[in-house]
C-alpha cells in the first residue's frame, strides 16, 4: 500500500465521477476504476437497478473490463479503487482476479466484507485500505438515500 | 429443501451437461442452471479460460441470464443447481440475488465457501445442500485435471 496520497485521491476522484453517473440513472452511487502501472485501464459504475441484475456492481464490471483489456483473468499488477467498501461477492471477485491493492472510500457497516478476508481460503491475498476521500464517498451515498426518502414524502403529501 | 430426489437429479443432470460443454472448450467443467417454478429459466457453464475473465463462473452467468429473463435482480422464487460447490464470489452473488435453494454436486474442499454463510451479514439466507449426483460431478472435475496432467506428461516425453 505504498501509493502516494495524491495518487490515491486522484484515482478515487475518478471512481467518484463514476459513482455520480450511477446516481443520475437511479442506481446506488458506487463507482470503481482499475489502475495498472499508474494508468486507468477500466472504470465502471453500479448498474444493478438499471439492468435489473444483482451481479452488476461497479467492481464486477470494472474487473471484467480490465480482464478484457489485458486479455487475462489474472490482474496481479492491478489496483482497484472503489467508492464504497466491497460486499462478499465483490471481495470474492477481487481475490479471484488476484487484484493487488484495493482502496475504498466509505465503509459499509452493513454489507462490507473486506474483513471476511481473515478466514478466506483463496490462494491470493489482496490488501485493503478504506477511508480514501471517505467524506465525499459517504456523502454521495447518504445524499442518494436522503433524496429517495424526500421524494417518497413528497409523493405521500400529494 | 423439499425438492424430490427425482427433480434434484433431473436438474443436476442439466447442470452436468453444461459442465461438459465447459470441458470441451478447455475450461474447468462446472455447469449450473436456475430453476423457477419447476422450469429451467437459465443454464450456463464456466467460461473463465475461454473469455480470460475471473468473473465468468457458471453461477454468475446463470444468475445474470435468469435476472434478464425475469427482469428482476430478486430471484427469491428461484433455485440454483451447480455441479461444484460455489466459491466466495458466487456465494456472495447467490445471496445478493436472493436465490432460495442452492443444490450443488461435488464439494470443493479448497475454495468452497458455502459455510461462509454462517457469519454472513446479508439480509437474505439461501439454503445450501451439497452432494447431489456427487460422484458424477466430482468425476467430471477429476477427469479434467487428470487429462491435463497426462497431456503435460506426453508433451514432456516428446
Amino acid at each position: 500500500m505504498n501509493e502516494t496520497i495524491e495518487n490515491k485521491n486522484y484515482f478515487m476522484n475518478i471512481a467518484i465521477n463514476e459513482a455520480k453517473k450511477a446516481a443520475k440513472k437511479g442506481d446506488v452511487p458506487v463507482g470503481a476504476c482499475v489502475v495498472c502501472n499508474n494508468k486507468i485501464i477500466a472504470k465502471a459504475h453500479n448498474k444493478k437497478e438499471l439492468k435489473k441484475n444483482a451481479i452488476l456492481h461497479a467492481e464486477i464490471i470494472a474487473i471484467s473490463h480490465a480482464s478484457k483489456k489485458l486479455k487475462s483473468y489474472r490482474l496481479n499488477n492491478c489496483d482497484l479503487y472503489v467508492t464504497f467498501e466491497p460486499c462478499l461477492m465483490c471481495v470474492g471477485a477481487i481475490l479471484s482476479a488476484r487484484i493487488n491493492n484495493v482502496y475504498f472510500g466509505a465503509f459499509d457497516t452493513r454489507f462490507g466484507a473486506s474483513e471476511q478476508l481473515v478466514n478466506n481460503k483463496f490462494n491470493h491475498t489482496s490488501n485493503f485500505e478504506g477511508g480514501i476521500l471517505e467524506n465525499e464517498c459517504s456523502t454521495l451515498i447518504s445524499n442518494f438515500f436522503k433524496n429517495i426518502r424526500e421524494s417518497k414524502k413528497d409523493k405521500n403529501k400529494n
Side-chain angles (χ1 to χ4, degrees), chain A:
Chain A
M1 316 294 277
N2 292 324
E3 197 54 272
T4 62
I5 294 176
E6 289 76 16
N7 271 358
K8 285 182 201 172
N9 290 355
Y10 175 79
F11 293 125
M12 188 58 80
N13 267 318
I14 303 290
I16 288 174
N17 277 340
E18 282 297 313
K20 288 176 183 171
K21 291 182 193 170
K24 272 187 193 163
K25 297 173 190 170
D27 255 300
V28 177
V30 182
C33 65
V34 176
V35 176
C36 189
N37 298 324
N38 238 15
K39 276 183 194 158
I40 296 160
I41 61 163
K43 47 189 183 172
H45 53 272
N46 176 30
K47 290 185 175 172
K48 183 178 166 180
E49 275 291 345
L50 184 72
K51 300 282 187 184
K52 307 288 179 214
N53 185 334
I55 307 292
L56 296 178
H57 284 191
E59 301 94 311
I60 299 283
I61 304 171
I63 289 172
S64 270
H65 287 177
S67 300
K68 215 169 191 173
K69 194 125 183 189
L70 298 183
K71 293 183 180 66
S72 173
Y73 55 75
R74 287 197 182 96
L75 306 178
N76 304 58
N77 294 320
C78 299
D79 296 340
L80 177 81
Y81 287 79
V82 55
T83 57
F84 203 42
E85 186 179 355
C87 73
L88 190 68
M89 171 178 71
C90 292
V91 168
I94 285 160
L95 294 170
S96 190
R98 305 188 190 191
I99 293 277
N100 192 13
N101 299 305
V102 178
Y103 299 99
F104 65 87
F107 290 83
D108 182 357
T109 51
R110 286 184 71 203
F111 303 124
S114 57
E115 85 274 19
Q116 291 270 354
L117 277 171
V118 180
N119 296 313
N120 93 74
K121 301 186 293 180
F122 274 73
N123 51 2
H124 172 79
T125 306
S126 302
N127 307 305
F128 281 71
E129 181 182 327
I132 318 292
L133 299 183
E134 185 179 0
N135 282 345
E136 291 87 331
C137 293
S138 62
T139 305
L140 269 174
I141 303 272
S142 53
N143 280 352
F144 177 80
F145 285 108
K146 198 176 144 192
N147 288 341
I148 287 180
R149 281 193 301 275
E150 281 173 3
S151 77
K152 272 187 189 166
K153 264 189 215 166
D154 288 345
K155 267 187 197 165
N156 290 340
K157 268 186 206 163
N158 298 331

